[in-house]
Amino acid sequence: MAMEMEMEMEMESQKPFHVDVGNLLAFNPFRSFPSLPASRDELVKECLQEGTKLVQAVADSLFNLPSTEDVDGPLVKLPPPTSKLPREKHLPKPKPPTKWEEFAKKKGIQNRKKDKVVWDEQTGTWKRRFGYDRVNDDKDIPIIEAKMTDEPGVDPFAKRQDDKKKRVEKQEKNRLQNLKQAAKIGALPSHVQLAATSLPITGTQAPPKKVTKDELGNVAGMAATSTASGGKFDRKLPGEKPAKKQGKHRKFLPVVEGSGIGSREKEQTESVLNKLISKHSHEILNVGKAVTMYNVKKEKKARNKRNQEGKSSSATNKLKPKKQLQKKTGKKGPVSSKKVKAK
Amino acid sequence: MMKIKTPRNGRVRRELEKRAPKLVETGKKTLILQGTKTSGTLNGVLSEIYHLKKGGAVRFTRKNDNIRPFESGGETSLEFFSLKTDCSIFVYGSHSKKRPNNLVIGRMYDHHVYDLVEVGVENFKSIESFTYDKKMAPRVGSKPFIAFVGEGFENVDELKHLKEVLLDLLRGEVVENINLAGLDRAYVCTAISSNKVYLTHCAIRLKKSGTVVPRMELVEVGPSMDLVVRRHRLPNEGLRKEAMRTAKDQPKKKIKNVSSDAIEGTIGKIYIPDQKVGDVALPNKAKGVKRERREAKKKEANERASKKQKEESE
């Protein structure tokens, strides 16, 4: 008991706690626990006692601050915290001035506030500065006077639109440059992200072309032809379809085959020979067709003779023999060959 | 080729602005996750910490095998989660035979690991085990009193570090105005030995006293646990200096020839160079110059008169 009293008295003299009102923090660096109390409950009680004292100390300074009355209760303005803690993110860097801002500062140009509506002389109403139904819209101009400096073949309306497009592109380029400059020093605004749309150009100037499915297939086929087996046994990727055969389809007969009715080789050679040799020559000549051709030729001859007697024009004479010649050659083909082969 | 990407949504833009670095920072969000194996007590600890920090905490419930905070390669996952959830403090719980009921409390700077403290949890008592008058229960999100007791927090390195980390973890948002009626919780941390800290969460009961300041009474409500400090890693000097920098630290650039006085306010000094009397350009032209003009005019008039005479004569 006496020891406790002594300790308490010592404590009282070393009152100063480190109080940080901004954080509602109190620290007592003078309390030591040389020997832990026997039971857990006692330890807990002691800790609570100490805690109460500290909290009381904070509350003392807190409640003595000037307070304002609020709906829920007295509102107190806290002083800034004294114990320093590390930041969670780096300090934000101020945005560097854009090229226009620098120029404006140098020249002393003041930024003037613009109104949302502008008086339009043409219609005599107040119109928007930009957007739907705006003041100086390109499509509202009915007539553009020709100037001495204009070239004859140039469409002035299209020229106006092109100029506007160029201006907009230039502005976009400048904006991108300004943002790149800000990103270089690490002061990019939080809502902006710069994304690379394509890989940086190395070597040739042309950007890589996109390859289509057909092109890929063709290339694969070309690579396959370089192998001895024509790509037939190449290991395929999962999902790759087998190569389509290109070129003529040749069917080769098996090497060893039994003779008889099913002998394919014999059939093949027979059909070829029959086409050539005149054994079944009547099948070659189309009799009906030959007859009609002969009849037609005969009728024409008779007609022409009648015309000759009536008109006798040199043009028809000239035309006639040529026609006859053509007909003759058409007929002579199979007939002549027949005669030759028979010998 | 670069493309400028801006959010098409107001909501997304506001979210990005919330995550952008600010000059004056408000509270840090906490990420609570676990490792390969957790014990029952550890699960309780993690869920109770999540309850205490309900407004600004994110709880992951799956196990993460590839997170080892104290190893050089094992922090990448943590940094990725921190980046995605915008959390700057994390509490990582794991249980192994060598380190039972292990809790690693770490802080991040710019989403990279800044410092770590590893503690073991002993004698954990959860919220349910405390009996108290439910009316006094502290409300979620109220700003707590924090009390540190013990010389260990001043003398022992590890405990000093732990004190800083606990302060960061337990304090809520940094606010300017506070409503005195809403103060209802307190955390008490006592250093009972050179490596053990007894942490408990109490509700505050305000009792009438004679003065404006009410008498405080603490009643244990929340979880209480013994924290045994195992390992810790302090930040390296350069990083610490950078993280501790605040905007006010930059000394205000002194403007030359300007001083302030209590009575007159801001005073400025203007230095005028010596006047060169002889070289000054006179504003009013000398009489001699004017006479010249008059004479020139007279001459002209005469000439014109003579011309007219000639014409008339002709």
Side-chain angles (χ1 to χ4, degrees):
Chain A
M1 269 291 281
M3 281 283 284
E4 272 190 68
M5 291 282 285
E6 268 188 53
M7 272 175 72
E8 273 192 349
M9 290 204 8
E10 273 185 45
M11 279 266 305
E12 285 290 318
S13 58
Q14 298 173 16
K15 189 83 195 297
F17 302 141
H18 297 177
V19 172
D20 176 7
V21 189
N23 272 331
L24 298 183
L25 168 74
F27 174 36
N28 177 9
F30 300 109
R31 185 76 169 89
S32 60
F33 292 82
S35 62
L36 288 174
S39 77
R40 182 107 183 129
D41 285 336
E42 284 210 18
L43 175 70
V44 171
K45 222 165 68 167
E46 257 194 75
C47 295
L48 278 188
Q49 270 177 359
E50 295 298 320
T52 323
K53 285 188 204 145
L54 285 170
V55 173
Q56 192 68 53
V58 178
D60 281 341
S61 16
L62 189 65
F63 280 80
N64 286 329
L65 289 171
S67 69
T68 55
E69 274 300 316
D70 202 43
V71 181
D72 306 316
L75 211 65
V76 157
K77 187 165 150 66
L78 282 177
T82 51
S83 39
K84 282 177 92 176
L85 289 166
R87 286 178 62 94
E88 60 169 331
K89 290 185 186 129
H90 59 268
L91 279 167
K93 288 201 189 84
K95 215 170 72 151
T98 60
K99 285 191 85 173
W100 167 254
E101 279 174 5
E102 282 175 5
F103 179 76
K105 207 167 73 166
K106 200 172 69 168
K107 290 276 185 174
I109 301 171
Q110 296 291 338
N111 195 15
R112 287 207 191 101
K113 192 97 171 128
K114 299 188 180 98
D115 291 328
K116 241 197 250 184
V117 279
V118 184
W119 176 254
D120 185 21
E121 282 298 331
Q122 200 184 10
T123 53
T125 53
W126 288 94
K127 279 197 176 176
R128 267 170 261 240
R129 183 181 288 278
F130 51 83
Y132 173 75
D133 193 29
R134 57 179 175 267
V135 173
N136 292 327
D137 204 358
D138 268 352
K139 61 181 171 64
D140 285 340
I141 304 171
I143 304 165
I144 298 179
E145 307 254 330
K147 289 193 287 202
M148 294 297 286
T149 52
D150 270 352
E151 288 171 29
V154 170
D155 176 13
F157 297 98
K159 189 163 171 295
R160 273 183 78 102
Q161 282 189 337
D162 283 338
D163 283 342
K164 176 158 184 184
K165 246 192 179 171
K166 281 200 196 115
R167 267 182 279 135
V168 169
E169 273 174 24
K170 180 173 176 287
Q171 180 55 33
E172 267 302 307
K173 197 167 71 101
N174 286 347
R175 180 175 169 226
L176 184 64
Q177 285 300 323
N178 282 329
L179 285 172
K180 271 197 201 166
Q181 191 63 32
K184 205 162 77 164
I185 70 163
L188 201 61
S190 62
H191 56 271
V192 174
Q193 274 176 308
L194 288 177
T197 48
S198 57
L199 296 166
I201 298 169
T202 56
T204 55
Q205 283 295 316
K209 263 198 314 179
K210 273 203 168 177
V211 193
T212 55
K213 197 165 72 173
D214 302 323
E215 271 181 40
L216 269 177
N218 290 345
V219 166
M222 275 192 268
T225 52
S226 64
T227 54
S229 57
K232 196 167 153 188
F233 301 107
D234 285 345
R235 198 177 299 159
K236 297 240 181 325
L237 289 171
E240 191 180 334
K241 295 201 183 123
K244 281 187 275 190
K245 268 209 275 187
Q246 285 203 334
K248 281 190 188 173
H249 288 238
R250 289 187 70 185
K251 195 167 113 180
F252 294 101
L253 297 169
V255 174
V256 178
E257 209 192 287
S259 59
I261 311 167
S263 169
R264 279 182 270 164
E265 196 175 343
K266 200 175 174 189
E267 283 175 11
Q268 228 183 25
T269 41
E270 256 190 40
S271 61
V272 168
L273 278 174
N274 289 334
K275 278 188 190 158
L276 293 173
I277 302 171
S278 61
K279 215 177 181 184
H280 301 277
S281 55
H282 65 269
E283 287 174 330
I284 297 167
L285 177 62
N286 189 350
V287 178
K289 199 173 181 185
V291 165
T292 45
M293 275 173 88
Y294 181 71
N295 285 341
V296 164
K297 182 189 141 195
K298 222 179 155 187
E299 279 175 25
K300 266 213 170 164
K301 232 184 181 178
R303 218 187 299 138
N304 284 336
K305 262 189 181 172
R306 263 185 252 133
N307 286 345
Q308 258 190 350
E309 287 163 15
K311 288 178 189 178
S312 73
S313 55
S314 56
T316 48
N317 280 338
K318 279 187 184 169
L319 284 170
K320 261 195 207 168
K322 276 186 186 172
K323 273 188 183 170
Q324 280 180 353
L325 275 168
Q326 279 176 358
K327 277 189 181 170
K328 275 185 181 172
T329 50
K331 224 186 171 178
K332 265 188 180 173
V335 179
S336 61
S337 63
K338 176 180 91 182
K339 279 188 181 167
V340 167
K341 291 285 165 67
K343 283 183 186 167
Chain B
M1 280 294 289
M2 295 274 227
K3 199 167 72 145
I4 305 169
K5 281 169 78 174
T6 44
R8 300 255 144 245
N9 236 344
R11 180 175 60 88
V12 176
R13 194 180 302 126
R14 283 191 288 273
E15 266 301 318
L16 285 173
E17 269 177 39
K18 268 192 215 168
R19 295 190 176 199
K22 297 181 202 82
L23 217 55
V24 177
E25 284 182 344
T26 53
K28 302 182 182 178
K29 270 168 66 170
T30 311
L31 176 65
I32 304 173
L33 35 66
Q34 49 210 66
T36 331
K37 198 158 80 138
T38 47
S39 59
T41 44
L42 203 61
N43 278 335
V45 171
L46 291 174
S47 47
E48 306 237 323
I49 294 178
Y50 177 60
H51 274 305
L52 291 176
K53 296 211 71 180
K54 207 49 177 295
V58 177
R59 175 98 208 264
F60 284 177
T61 41
R62 287 223 190 126
K63 66 175 188 178
N64 306 292
D65 329 0
N66 52 350
I67 295 184
R68 287 170 212 286
F70 278 90
E71 283 168 39
S72 61
E75 304 161 338
T76 43
S77 244
L78 271 175
E79 292 179 359
F80 176 72
F81 290 146
S82 158
L83 184 67
K84 286 292 167 179
T85 56
D86 196 33
C87 289
S88 297
I89 315 185
F90 67 87
V91 176
Y92 169 77
S94 67
H95 176 80
S96 67
K97 206 153 137 189
K98 189 173 172 191
R99 294 180 225 274
N101 295 331
N102 203 23
L103 216 62
V104 179
I105 311 173
R107 293 184 288 183
M108 301 274 194
Y109 178 71
D110 255 353
H111 303 295
H112 294 295
V113 168
Y114 175 75
D115 65 356
L116 306 160
V117 177
E118 188 177 55
V119 286
V121 176
E122 293 173 8
N123 300 326
F124 172 66
K125 282 175 88 179
S126 79
I127 297 180
E128 283 91 40
S129 58
F130 288 98
T131 50
Y132 55 91
D133 185 11
K134 294 292 181 205
K135 281 193 215 159
M136 296 189 308
R139 282 188 295 245
V140 177
S142 54
K143 196 155 166 75
F145 283 99
I146 311 177
F148 286 99
V149 183
E151 58 178 12
F153 283 124
E154 183 117 335
N155 303 335
V156 184
D157 230 1
E158 294 162 325
L159 290 186
K160 224 165 47 173
H161 191 198
L162 180 64
K163 171 169 171 276
E164 206 186 309
V165 174
L166 279 178
L167 175 62
D168 223 344
L169 179 70
L170 297 174
R171 75 166 177 173
E173 286 183 29
V174 181
V175 283
E176 274 220 4
N177 299 319
I178 189 167
N179 186 357
L180 294 176
L183 297 167
D184 48 7
R185 54 163 82 191
Y187 291 99
V188 179
C189 318
T190 14
I192 43 187
S193 76
S194 63
N195 66 342
K196 235 193 210 184
V197 170
Y198 173 66
L199 170 68
T200 179
H201 175 235
C202 313
I204 296 179
R205 206 157 27 151
L206 304 170
K207 283 208 163 144
K208 270 217 160 76
S209 79
T211 56
V212 185
V213 184
R215 201 158 60 90
M216 301 273 165
E217 203 180 291
L218 298 181
V219 178
E220 261 198 298
V221 286
S224 77
M225 57 191 100
D226 277 354
L227 302 174
V228 179
V229 177
R230 286 183 184 149
R231 299 188 273 185
H232 76 126
R233 194 209 286 178
L234 289 165
N236 46 353
E237 252 330 287
L239 195 58
R240 199 184 74 85
K241 273 211 178 117
E242 201 190 319
M244 289 298 208
R245 239 178 359 159
T246 53
K248 285 188 191 158
D249 283 355
Q250 292 156 13
K252 239 180 165 178
K253 279 205 175 145
K254 189 174 176 345
I255 311 166
K256 276 184 162 181
N257 300 321
V258 169
S259 60
S260 62
D261 197 3
I263 304 167
E264 293 176 35
T266 323
I267 308 172
K269 275 190 194 167
I270 306 172
Y271 293 97
I272 306 173
D274 288 335
Q275 260 190 331
K276 289 188 183 136
V277 186
D279 296 343
V280 173
L282 295 169
N284 300 320
K285 289 243 169 90
K287 255 197 171 166
V289 179
K290 279 193 184 162
R291 195 198 293 166
E292 275 177 28
R293 267 196 134 188
R294 242 185 293 144
E295 283 181 352
K297 275 190 183 169
K298 259 195 196 166
K299 247 193 186 174
E300 255 188 86
N302 286 340
E303 278 176 24
R304 254 187 246 143
S306 60
K307 264 191 182 172
K308 272 190 180 170
Q309 280 176 1
K310 274 188 186 170
E311 283 173 14
E312 277 174 20
S313 66
E314 284 173 20

